[in-house]
Amino acid sequence: MTGEVVGQPLSRVDARLKVTGGATYAAEHRLEDLLHGVVVNAAAARGKVSAIATDAARAHPGVTHVLTDFGSLKLAHSVTELAFYGQAIAVVLATTAEAAAHGASLVEAACERQPALTDFDDPRATSVTAPENPDYSRGDPDGAFGSADAKVDLEFTISRENHNPIELPSTIARWDGGKLTLWDKSQWVQGAARTVAGALGVPEQDVRVHCEYVGGGFGSAIRAYDHVVLAAFAARQAGRPVKVVLGARRFGWSRRGPAPGGRTDGDLLIGMGMATASYHNNRRQVGSRARVDADGTATVATATSDMGPGTTTSVMQVAADALGLPARQVTFRLGDSAYPAAPPHAGATTMASVGSAAHTSCSALRNKFIGMAVADPASPLYRADPAKVAVRDGRLSSGGNGAADSYREILRRAGLPGLEATATWGPGDTDERISSYGYGAVFAEVSVDPLLGLVRIRRMFAAYDVGRVISPKLAHSQAIGGMVGGIGMALLEGTVTDHRDGRIVNAGLADYLVPVNAAVPELDAAFIDTEDPLADPIGVKGLGEITIVGVPAAIGNAVFNATGKRLTDLPIRLEALL
């Protein structure tokens, strides 16, 4: 092959969409009149459902349907008998995801359990070969082994592993007459269409599956599993679009026993705890200056600072979107007192405040360019409606007639080296009119050595609602950092004062204990995709503080779950557990 593009080390063409949230995954498509569906799973691996009580679920506000009769479906397993643990036995539909989830929790099923085979090493287990993959052999393997000069006669085993992609299995189903459209997390859209069509008994050409992006699969999304079929079935029964996202057991909270001391690992006591978190959304008045130069590059400046969360990157992302420029052409400058005024870089104020100011100044600058273009007889956009002019990659366009202009051309015709705009943004009286908070839920698992009183973090997970996430990678890193700080607060950190003279006794890191890598084995965080347009123009809330708020409480609750000792003084010291 010849050409200038093949073989070049180019960046991924979809990278920017993914890191900025522009890529739309299955569960993110927005449809009118959408119902949310939650699958109710059986708690037995084999047996029969003798009764399902649905009255409480049907009476819950927001619940519209509780479906339990799947007899018309042609699935890969029986719909009247249980074939595996977690098999779908009902689907609850509601107007909100929360109502559907709670409605599903109110469904009660009685199961007639039967002995099940769950171990491949069980002598009763038999080998089953799929028809499309028959047993195969070639030559004489036994003879070759017998005559080989070197022989290795060992038994190798491998543990079962689970798929753990970031994107949960998700499906949205919509019927238009007899035709079905699915937005599904799928690694094989045509296979999904075939499976769903067969299960519902409709022609394959009447099923269309969309999946532009897959947030991790590892093979788990090759086949269309029950939730895909059930979403389509539920949408047909309800006469409305239905979204089904599988109820995410990221932390395994169901394994937690409510009674303290119920779980052990050798001589260690194991406990789980959770806590909620909230933190008020701080915003302050900020000034920002934006400029586009003759070469098409842009610079945005504000006198803020960056102690590490990545302000130079996240504010640049906001500015790039407001100006309609690619990220590589935008630079955000900070840390100079000569720049427009900004508040302290503290108290989780920076992104909401500085980001909003950057958005405001960049939007004003973009509108300046649009105004120049539509007023210039030499511009292809002369007399165009400014409200209909869009800017992308530095090019201004209006409608579908192909007419376009650019920042560079506008500056060239005007004989200007650049154009800039300065703006100030502040929350005004917003805090007097609305309450704006970020929220979180933190989960912790700890081990406690009852002989030594030592507490060790085994893993932690937190989910946050902090409005729009500008830079998911940076947000995740910041959340992990806050969680590490919370671990220090809960178990290690404490300033000791000599009250005779007010001296700090442990004023160095040799004496003041902080978490190290060995103290932080597994941390993870996730964010709910929301926006708060009433709080600020970019829809964000502060992230810097909330990530530490719930961590000590979650750890304290986990220690109680392990030991039965309710400790209220931080840090939790080993002498308190002996």
Side-chain angles (χ1 to χ4, degrees), residues 15-33:
R16 184 170 185 272
L17 287 173
K18 289 186 173 180
V19 300
T20 60
T24 304
Y25 292 85
E28 297 175 327
H29 291 274
R30 298 183 178 181
L31 279 68
E32 293 184 1
D33 206 28

Side-chain angles (χ1 to χ4, degrees), residues 11-318:
S11 298
R12 295 172 55 143
V13 297
D14 61 352
R16 184 170 185 272
L17 287 173
K18 289 186 173 180
V19 300
T20 60
T24 304
Y25 292 85
E28 297 175 327
H29 291 274
R30 298 183 178 181
L31 279 68
E32 293 184 1
D33 206 28
L34 182 71
L35 291 176
H36 296 263
V38 171
V39 176
V40 180
N41 306 107
R46 185 165 176 251
K48 200 166 188 175
V49 178
S50 56
I52 301 180
T54 63
D55 289 347
R58 295 178 191 275
H60 183 65
V63 171
T64 61
H65 301 75
V66 180
L67 307 176
T68 59
D69 184 4
F70 307 139
S72 63
L73 299 178
K74 300 176 182 177
L75 301 175
H77 54 82
S78 171
V79 295
T80 58
E81 296 185 357
L82 299 179
F84 55 91
Y85 184 91
Q87 180 173 322
I89 57 175
V91 178
V92 177
L93 305 183
T95 53
T96 66
E98 294 79 7
H102 189 67
S105 71
L106 299 176
V107 175
E108 296 184 359
C111 296
E112 298 174 359
R113 297 173 181 265
Q114 299 176 8
L117 286 175
T118 58
D119 186 354
F120 285 108
D121 294 327
D122 191 306
R124 296 172 297 168
T126 58
S127 176
V128 178
T129 302
E132 62 271 23
N133 296 302
D135 288 336
Y136 172 80
S137 65
R138 183 175 64 185
D140 183 10
D142 293 334
F145 186 80
S147 60
D149 294 332
K151 303 176 183 178
V152 178
D153 188 5
L154 298 172
E155 181 178 294
F156 293 86
T157 61
I158 186 170
S159 298
R160 175 181 176 179
E161 295 184 355
N162 286 332
H163 309 282
N164 291 288
I166 295 175
E167 183 191 12
L168 300 173
S170 311
T171 304
I172 298 178
R174 183 183 69 191
W175 289 88
D176 296 298
K179 296 188 179 296
L180 171 65
T181 302
L182 294 171
W183 290 267
D184 181 43
K185 177 189 175 179
S186 174
Q187 293 173 244
W188 186 23
V189 291
Q190 292 177 326
R194 187 176 307 139
T195 298
V196 173
L200 296 175
V202 300
E204 187 176 334
Q205 61 268 24
D206 289 346
V207 180
R208 186 173 182 180
V209 180
H210 295 277
C211 182
E212 293 183 77
Y213 301 99
V214 177
F218 318 118
S220 65
I222 293 177
R223 297 179 181 271
Y225 293 99
D226 284 1
H227 70 279
V228 184
V229 175
L230 292 176
F233 172 75
R236 185 166 63 179
Q237 295 294 106
R240 294 170 61 177
V242 168
K243 178 198 290 190
V244 173
V245 178
L246 297 191
R249 297 175 178 87
R250 290 283 295 271
F251 193 75
W253 184 254
S254 61
R255 298 197 302 270
R256 175 186 182 270
R263 285 185 62 202
T264 60
D265 185 359
D267 294 331
L268 300 177
L269 301 174
I270 307 301
M272 289 185 182
M274 69 86 59
T276 58
S278 66
Y279 196 82
H280 52 284
N281 188 25
N282 285 329
R283 286 97 67 234
R284 301 275 293 276
Q285 183 169 297
V286 181
S288 174
R289 182 174 64 244
R291 177 182 175 89
V292 171
D293 288 311
D295 62 358
T297 63
T299 303
V300 182
T302 302
T304 187
S305 301
D306 185 0
M307 71 175 78
T311 303
T312 52
T313 299
S314 53
V315 176
M316 176 274 293
Q317 291 177 263
V318 170

Side-chain angles (χ1 to χ4, degrees), residues 365-385:
L365 180 55
R366 182 193 66 230
N367 291 335
K368 270 190 177 184
F369 275 104
I370 294 173
M372 291 174 65
V374 300
D376 183 359
S379 171
L381 298 178
Y382 180 53
R383 291 183 174 175
D385 183 356

